[in-house]
Amino acid sequence: MMTIREANENDIPRILQFVRELAIYEKLESEVVATPEQMRLWLFEKKKASVLFCCNDGLEIGFALYFYNFSTWKGCCGLYIEDLYIQKEYRGRGFGKALITEIAQLANKEGCARVEWACLDWNQSSIDFYKSLGACPQEDWSVFRLTGPSLEAFSKS
């Protein structure tokens, strides 16, 4: 039976396991440097993001991490899904859709204007899945990022 539940501090090892599995899937494993202490601080002490687990017969088989953003054009918040991951053997069985549905319902309940996420350009199976939900790619926009040494250098300029 499929269930969705909120993560708690005791789930940090499982969250990090899924983060690593997602990074391996995305061919970016070497970029994962998150520690249990960082996850505890940012997720459960500062409450800057939330994690939902999708479970099959009580076993966590995937997760979604999301947080609030703000649209100045809409004048209200939205939800941003940073990570969405379902273990390979459970894909195609409605678990990912259930997680996105849960987040969409939360967005509607709280009056958010939208739910957004990013997807790697090469990940056609995910792109097809997202389009099947009615999601539209934002083809006129590019994501920019300051991180690591460039962030540090720029912040001191």
Side-chain angles (χ1 to χ4, degrees), residues 48-109:
K48 297 297 183 181
S50 299
V51 174
L52 295 175
F53 282 119
C54 194
C55 304
N56 184 42
D57 295 328
L59 174 68
E60 299 88 5
I61 54 90
F63 84 118
L65 185 146
Y66 67 93
F67 55 88
Y68 292 87
N69 57 18
F70 192 84
S71 170
T72 55
W73 291 6
K74 300 289 185 182
C76 62
C77 284
L79 291 178
Y80 186 85
I81 302 172
E82 176 68 20
D83 287 338
L84 175 69
Y85 175 73
I86 302 296
Q87 290 179 315
K88 186 175 183 175
E89 59 269 28
Y90 295 97
R91 292 180 195 150
R93 295 170 44 187
F95 294 107
K97 183 177 181 181
L99 281 170
I100 294 174
T101 299
E102 186 80 14
I103 293 169
Q105 289 172 345
L106 175 64
N108 279 327
K109 176 182 170 190

Side-chain angles (χ1 to χ4, degrees), residues 11-35 39 43 51 53 62-65 82-85 87:
D11 293 314
I12 291 171
R14 190 72 163 153
I15 295 168
L16 283 170
Q17 175 192 344
F18 284 148
V19 167
R20 284 186 207 94
E21 289 179 18
L22 174 60
I24 290 167
Y25 173 75
E26 293 181 340
K27 302 173 181 79
L28 297 167
E29 181 181 10
S30 64
E31 294 189 27
V32 177
V33 297
T35 66
M39 293 300 221
L43 295 178
V51 174
F53 282 119
F63 84 118
L65 185 146
E82 176 68 20
D83 287 338
L84 175 69
Y85 175 73
Q87 290 179 315

Side-chain angles (χ1 to χ4, degrees), residues 84-152:
L84 175 69
Y85 175 73
I86 302 296
Q87 290 179 315
K88 186 175 183 175
E89 59 269 28
Y90 295 97
R91 292 180 195 150
R93 295 170 44 187
F95 294 107
K97 183 177 181 181
L99 281 170
I100 294 174
T101 299
E102 186 80 14
I103 293 169
Q105 289 172 345
L106 175 64
N108 279 327
K109 176 182 170 190
E110 296 193 8
C112 295
R114 58 189 174 207
V115 176
E116 296 178 301
W117 59 90
C119 182
L120 291 167
D121 291 339
W122 59 259
N123 193 345
Q124 193 61 50
S125 63
S126 291
I127 291 168
D128 293 342
F129 167 64
Y130 299 142
K131 286 181 175 180
S132 78
L133 303 177
C136 300
Q138 300 298 291
E139 295 174 2
D140 294 338
W141 297 85
S142 295
V143 176
F144 290 84
R145 180 176 291 165
L146 283 171
T147 187
S150 61
L151 174 61
E152 187 174 339

